[in-house]
Amino acid sequence: MDSPLAPQILAIEVPLRSDPSVSRPVRVLSIDGGGVRGYLPALLLAEIERRAATPASRLFDLVVGTSTGGIISIGLAAGLSARSLADFYPTHGRRIFGGAEEPVWKTRLLGTGGTFSERMGAAARRLGGPFGGNPDYGGNARHRPDGLEGVLRDVLGDTMLSQAAMDIAITSFDGLSATPVVFSRRDARTDASWDLPLRDIARATSAAPTYFPPLKIDWVGRTCHFIDGGVWANNPSGIAVSESLILTAERGLTGRSVFLVSLGTGTASAGAAFDGTSSWIGSAGDLVKTATSVAAGELLARRAVPEQNYRRLQVVDNRVAGAMDDPSSQRLGVLKAAAGDLIRAKNADLVEIVARLVP
């Protein structure tokens, strides 16, 4: 098979007992948020799947995701191959975000609508975005949800969370009650109120503020406005560790018997924040960057999982950390090239990881 250019991942497992008959460590996958940059971890998973000659859904016991990483996680749990999930971005990107292959300046000015009226609507949303509150243009959202919802409906159908083929945990946030939310198959199988369609959960985890309007539904006796889980857990590794505790307990293992693979979606080099020299606008920007940072999840995972049982695979490149809603061939080409570079650089690691993941 041809190898897809993909980002890199690393997983590790070190049994805490010498008895070879003891259950192996729980294999956990965690995938960050990042919009169209989800192409990176999807390509990496496709490469792992190719090398393992095993569906990616069978390589992990638990998958945890936020936003675009949540969509990939849900896709795996719905039985889709990693290869098809990698194809998701070039195949459906335009339907989700609109637009066409054209000069960047025109897209920046008129937005990404397919028709003239849609373009003017996008421009109006951009101009009105700072003020918000315009129901005709989705409040302050840049994109109407129709395309995304249609794609999720076509790809996921009517499959319910309780019917997922593997354990999953997906982040979201209820804006009305200011409450973090985690949707898990475990909860859906014990409490019917949590058993929502996978397409709704995918929409809830990916409703990034200013990009898409919230998912507004009645749930557990109240009205909820679900927005992107990235506002509190853009790197859900800490949640992955927490969710894995039940699985390790079921196998008679300790909570440290976890083989955790954490996939990033690309980031720029870190810079200073809250150094006391910025204007209040600059400090507000620092606050937003901190809230959506992936560093907190990595810190929690590193403190909870033995070093030899944790691998964080991330591309650090200013070119990669660009727009999250640009599915142009040029943008996807940059992401694909970065994924290929990472695969080549981490080939030895991938060989070892695949050996440990194969059932």
Side-chain angles (χ1 to χ4, degrees):
M1 289 182 212
D2 294 334
S3 168
L5 294 179
Q8 68 80 223
I9 184 181
L10 234 201
I12 28 190
E13 57 122 332
V14 174
L16 298 185
R17 309 180 190 181
S18 58
D19 182 355
S21 66
V22 75
S23 297
R24 67 182 177 218
V26 172
R27 301 162 302 168
V28 181
L29 174 64
S30 173
I31 312 176
D32 291 8
V36 75
R37 299 203 309 261
Y39 194 34
L40 282 168
L43 284 169
L44 177 57
L45 282 175
E47 174 67 5
I48 291 174
E49 184 176 78
R50 184 193 71 84
R51 294 188 183 201
T54 303
S57 60
R58 290 177 51 196
L59 297 176
F60 297 94
D61 301 299
L62 167 68
V63 59
V64 180
T66 287
S67 194
T68 193
I71 292 177
I72 296 172
S73 302
I74 289 170
L76 290 177
L80 300 177
S81 69
R83 177 67 266 175
S84 66
L85 289 169
D87 291 339
F88 178 90
Y89 296 88
T91 300
H92 301 295
R94 283 298 176 201
R95 185 176 171 191
I96 293 172
F97 296 111
E101 299 293 321
E102 54 189 18
V104 173
W105 68 266
K106 186 180 292 186
T107 299
R108 299 283 188 205
L109 177 63
L110 295 179
T112 57
T115 66
F116 177 77
S117 62
E118 289 174 334
R119 292 175 184 281
M120 293 307 295
R125 288 196 298 278
R126 280 173 169 75
L127 292 173
F131 307 99
N134 186 342
D136 292 335
Y137 295 106
N140 66 353
R142 305 180 195 180
H143 307 288
R144 298 185 187 279
D146 311 56
L148 174 59
E149 291 174 356
V151 168
L152 295 176
R153 187 181 305 109
D154 291 347
V155 172
L156 299 172
D158 296 324
T159 304
M160 304 296 289
L161 178 56
S162 64
Q163 298 172 320
M166 62 189 300
D167 274 305
I168 60 173
I170 307 297
T171 68
S172 189
F173 187 89
D174 178 19
L176 290 186
S177 63
T179 304
V181 178
V182 175
F183 294 103
S184 73
R185 186 183 74 164
R186 169 168 50 85
D187 290 334
R189 288 185 169 181
T190 58
D191 184 343
S193 66
W194 288 83
D195 196 17
L196 299 176
L198 287 178
R199 65 173 183 267
D200 286 350
I201 296 172
R203 172 77 168 85
T205 192
S206 59
T210 79
Y211 290 95
F212 291 104
L215 173 65
K216 301 177 181 180
I217 62 174
D218 290 329
W219 178 65
V220 294
R222 69 175 190 270
T223 298
C224 298
H225 288 188
F226 288 121
I227 63 175
D228 198 303
V231 301
W232 70 281
N234 207 36
N235 174 349
S237 293
I239 297 165
V241 172
S242 175
E243 292 291 319
S244 71
L245 294 178
I246 291 178
L247 298 181
T248 54
E250 289 175 349
R251 296 185 183 185
L253 302 171
T254 72
R256 292 171 65 82
S257 297
V258 171
F259 175 33
L260 176 59
V261 174
S262 174
L263 299 181
T265 58
T267 185
S269 301
F274 302 112
D275 61 2
T277 62
S278 299
S279 66
W280 68 267
I281 295 178
S283 294
D286 288 342
L287 181 62
V288 172
K289 287 189 292 184
T290 301
T292 57
S293 170
V294 297
E298 182 173 358
L299 174 64
L300 292 173
R302 289 190 180 280
R303 290 180 63 83
V305 179
E307 182 179 357
Q308 68 271 27
N309 284 23
Y310 172 79
R311 289 297 182 274
R312 169 68 173 169
L313 298 157
Q314 174 72 297
V315 173
V316 181
D317 187 326
N318 290 349
R319 294 171 302 170
V320 167
M324 296 192 297
D325 60 344
D326 176 9
S328 66
S329 57
Q330 179 181 10
R331 174 70 169 143
L332 294 179
V334 170
L335 296 172
K336 187 173 185 178
D341 290 344
L342 188 54
I343 284 176
R344 286 184 285 272
K346 298 293 184 178
N347 179 66
D349 291 333
L350 285 170
V351 169
E352 179 184 9
I353 292 167
V354 168
R356 292 176 174 177
L357 284 176
V358 175

